Amino acid sequence: MDERGQRGQLSAPGRLEAGAVVVPEAPRVPDQPLADLAAEHGLRLSGARPSLRRYIAMLWQRRHFIWGFATARSVSMYTEARLGQLWQVLTPLLNAGVYYLIFGLLFEASRGVENYAAFLLAGVFVFAFTERSIVTGSNVMRANLQLIRALYFPRASLPLAYVLVELQQMLVGFVVLIPVMLVSGEPLTWYWFLLVPTVVLQTMFNTGAALMVARLGGSLADVTELIPFILRISRYFCGVMYMITTLPAKVPEWGIKLLSLNPPAVYISLVRVALMQSYRTNSPGNQPYSAARCTLFHHPLPGHAPDPSLQAYCHAVVTNTDLWVAAVGWGVGFLVLGMIFFWRAESDYGRG
């Protein structure tokens, strides 16, 4: 007989006997549940949402990436334009020029406002920061879908980076705004230091709002189309082109207060308070109340424009304290709510 015996048998020692069947050893089933076993060895579900504290820590670890991404995008935005980065300043300047012609001259919104050019320019720059942050935030998830699918990182990094892009552009705008203030007669005072907390609080508000609309825009494309329309309307209700306290008397006091304390109006007013001595001096409540002078401001003599200084003798509907309380509330509140709102959808973006 050969070394190999019958088919399926071996003639060497330990050969298989005819009819023998080899049964593989059954795998050992663990006694504990699989979920506990995975937790014991540090395994997690793919795309699982981390805790909020851990999520914020992950964002902080990637702060250099967020800043680098924002800087690179800010530089590349106008690379194809001949004037390049000058458009960061020219765009709001052109908008301010259009608003000055329409509202300052045709509709006489400058009546009762001293140094209207500086007043208008401050409103345009500050509102543009909020407007662009929210508009770009609403489209950030769809615009970076390939990046989201290719790499894993905290998705909130993208709205944060886009807000930083707009912050950098607004800081460039201050390079123009501050000389305009000085040339127009506004003195350099310690109030200018109030720009720092004002910009910080506005950035916090913009970040929270951008996180909210980023989540909504990532799941519903209609939000991206609706946001610019809403912001276009809000521009006319937050005092960019006019002083809210000079609205006609038929607007109730609660309506003026509501308009004065909406988020964009709050930050616009605080920037004007910081930079413009004329704005601080002529604000309602800056002088003891005088019914006669206040009435003369709202109803000037025929053929005469309102005297801005007379407004200081009217009652203050909103004080500087009200503005700062509102600024802190809007900034901190929106940042916290926006982070939580976006964090809850992080696992959805992880599946992308």
Side-chain angles (χ1 to χ4, degrees), residues 64-101:
H64 301 296
F65 160 75
I66 296 173
W67 181 259
F69 182 87
T71 303
R73 179 164 181 81
S74 180
V75 172
S76 65
M77 284 179 64
Y78 301 101
T79 53
E80 297 182 359
R82 288 183 178 272
L83 297 179
Q85 299 298 313
L86 285 176
W87 282 110
Q88 296 184 16
V89 177
L90 289 177
T91 299
L93 282 177
L94 293 173
N95 287 335
V98 172
Y99 294 149
Y100 185 85
L101 291 174

Side-chain angles (χ1 to χ4, degrees), residues 183-207:
V183 171
S184 62
E186 301 295 342
L188 179 64
T189 67
W190 70 267
Y191 279 94
W192 286 40
F193 288 107
L194 295 178
L195 275 179
V196 176
T198 301
V199 172
V200 170
L201 289 171
Q202 186 185 9
T203 302
M204 293 170 63
F205 168 79
N206 293 352
T207 301

Side-chain angles (χ1 to χ4, degrees), residues 12 80 134 151 158-159 192 200-201 251 261 268 287 309 315 323 332 342:
E80 297 182 359
I134 297 176
L151 301 171
L158 294 174
W192 286 40
V200 170
L201 289 171
V251 179
L261 293 180
I268 290 172
Q287 297 290 342
S309 63
H315 284 302
L323 292 175
V332 175
F342 191 93

Side-chain angles (χ1 to χ4, degrees), residues 99 127-138 205-206 209 213 223-238 240-241 264:
Y99 294 149
F127 183 80
F129 178 30
T130 294
E131 181 181 36
R132 291 197 302 255
S133 297
I134 297 176
V135 169
T136 56
S138 66
F205 168 79
N206 293 352
V213 297
V223 172
T224 304
E225 303 297 329
L226 186 61
I227 288 296
F229 176 74
I230 296 176
L231 290 171
R232 196 175 303 119
I233 295 176
S234 68
R235 183 186 298 121
Y236 301 104
F237 287 92
C238 58
V240 174
M241 291 80 68

Side-chain angles (χ1 to χ4, degrees), residues 108 110-114 246 295-301 303-311:
E108 297 184 341
S110 60
R111 291 168 62 87
V113 179
E114 187 176 349
T246 61
T295 302
L296 186 59
F297 169 76
H298 289 289
H299 304 283
L301 297 175
H304 293 76
D307 183 356
S309 63
L310 295 177
Q311 187 178 196

Side-chain angles (χ1 to χ4, degrees), residues 4 10 15 29 75-76 84 90 102-103 107-108 124 129 133 158 173 181 185 194 205 272 274:
R4 187 175 298 275
L10 294 175
R15 65 182 181 275
V29 179
V75 172
S76 65
L90 289 177
I102 297 176
F103 295 94
F107 291 98
E108 297 184 341
V124 170
F129 178 30
S133 297
L158 294 174
M181 293 291 173
L194 295 178
F205 168 79
R272 287 169 175 162

Side-chain angles (χ1 to χ4, degrees), residues 134-217:
I134 297 176
V135 169
T136 56
S138 66
N139 193 44
V140 65
M141 306 309 293
R142 295 181 178 274
N144 295 276
L145 193 58
Q146 293 183 349
L147 179 62
I148 292 173
R149 289 175 175 174
L151 301 171
Y152 176 75
F153 58 93
R155 311 310 187 197
S157 301
L158 294 174
L160 288 174
Y162 276 70
V163 172
L164 286 179
V165 170
E166 304 305 333
L167 174 61
Q168 292 174 2
Q169 294 198 26
M170 190 183 74
L171 294 179
V172 172
F174 277 130
V175 175
V176 175
L177 180 61
I178 289 176
V180 168
M181 293 291 173
L182 295 174
V183 171
S184 62
E186 301 295 342
L188 179 64
T189 67
W190 70 267
Y191 279 94
W192 286 40
F193 288 107
L194 295 178
L195 275 179
V196 176
T198 301
V199 172
V200 170
L201 289 171
Q202 186 185 9
T203 302
M204 293 170 63
F205 168 79
N206 293 352
T207 301
L211 288 168
M212 291 183 184
V213 297
R215 175 180 174 179
L216 296 174

